[in-house]
Amino acid sequence: METNAKNFTMRMAVMEDAPEILAIYEPYIRKTTITFEYEVPTVEAFRQRMAGILGAYPYLVCEMDGKITAYAYAHRFKERAAYQWDAELSVYVDENCTGMGMGKALYQALIEILKCQNVKNAYALVTSPNEKSDALHKSMGFTLEGVSHNTGYKMGKWLDVSSYVKAIGSHDPQPAEIIPCSAVGEERIAAILGRIQGYLLKRSL
């Protein structure tokens, strides 16, 4: 798919983006084992999911020619208090727009914002095998921590899940308090997105 690099824009997601984001996610549910969901949620249910993340963690979109073509978000890894310095990352790219670097750019932006929130560890769970996702995480310095074998069943087969982790902050004896994404500041986030968007534009020239 041909495109003009100057038309790429990265920004924070808003609730009004829910239909476009869900349209990207839907084929992954219907046609792949990348997500373990069976049924496509309604737009309203998807909005509720977004509402549970927005403000607390970064939720980002990448637009091309004004249309959302990729999105990524972070959320709490596990609920117990001691896990609060961990976050899990997810990224999805329009099935017709892969290979342009949007997923990697969004991932990098997530990590930079999470650092500002004082998150120490970034996690990702990947259905195995998934060569593209495995390559993405390894290229970004994630380490394969382990594999859960036959842990999910979809599309007539049992599936493994690989767990990746990357330390994104120092593990101090007294870690700084986690702050919500909304407290990082719009200017700081805009600077991060602008810098990484610049890398994306240069890559696609």
Side-chain angles (χ1 to χ4, degrees), residues 38 68 90-91 131 142 173 182:
Y38 282 14
I68 296 175
S90 296
V91 61
E131 293 182 4
F142 281 76
S182 58

Side-chain angles (χ1 to χ4, degrees), residues 10 60 72 89 91 101-115 136 139-142 166 168 192-193 195-196 199:
M10 291 173 60
L60 309 174
L89 281 56
V91 61
M102 289 182 287
K104 188 170 185 177
L106 287 170
Y107 234 50
Q108 186 60 50
L110 286 181
I111 290 171
E112 292 301 318
I113 296 170
L114 289 170
K115 287 180 180 178
L136 168 67
S139 73
M140 297 190 68
F142 281 76
K166 178 178 181 177
I168 62 173
I192 291 170
L193 296 180
R195 185 176 69 254
I196 296 173
Y199 297 151

Side-chain angles (χ1 to χ4, degrees), residues 61-186:
V61 298
C62 185
E63 294 180 320
M64 189 171 65
D65 296 328
K67 180 180 184 297
I68 296 175
T69 47
Y71 72 98
Y73 62 92
H75 60 87
R76 182 77 174 258
F77 180 56
K78 293 185 178 181
E79 291 303 316
R80 301 297 187 194
Y83 290 111
Q84 64 187 282
W85 288 275
D86 304 329
E88 183 180 343
L89 281 56
S90 296
V91 61
Y92 292 92
V93 179
D94 185 299
E95 60 182 343
N96 298 310
C97 301
T98 60
M100 297 181 183
M102 289 182 287
K104 188 170 185 177
L106 287 170
Y107 234 50
Q108 186 60 50
L110 286 181
I111 290 171
E112 292 301 318
I113 296 170
L114 289 170
K115 287 180 180 178
C116 296
Q117 295 182 244
N118 298 320
V119 171
K120 304 300 183 182
N121 305 302
Y123 286 87
L125 300 179
V126 178
T127 306
S128 181
N130 186 332
E131 293 182 4
K132 289 183 178 180
S133 189
D134 290 338
L136 168 67
H137 289 92
K138 290 175 182 177
S139 73
M140 297 190 68
F142 281 76
T143 300
L144 178 61
E145 194 171 49
V147 179
S148 298
H149 296 285
N150 298 317
T151 193
Y153 182 83
K154 186 178 181 181
M155 295 184 171
K157 56 186 175 182
W158 288 100
L159 301 159
D160 298 345
V161 172
S162 297
S163 178
Y164 285 92
V165 64
K166 178 178 181 177
I168 62 173
S170 58
H171 296 88
D172 306 311
Q174 296 294 328
E177 181 181 354
I178 293 292
I179 64 171
C181 182
S182 58
V184 172
E186 292 183 5

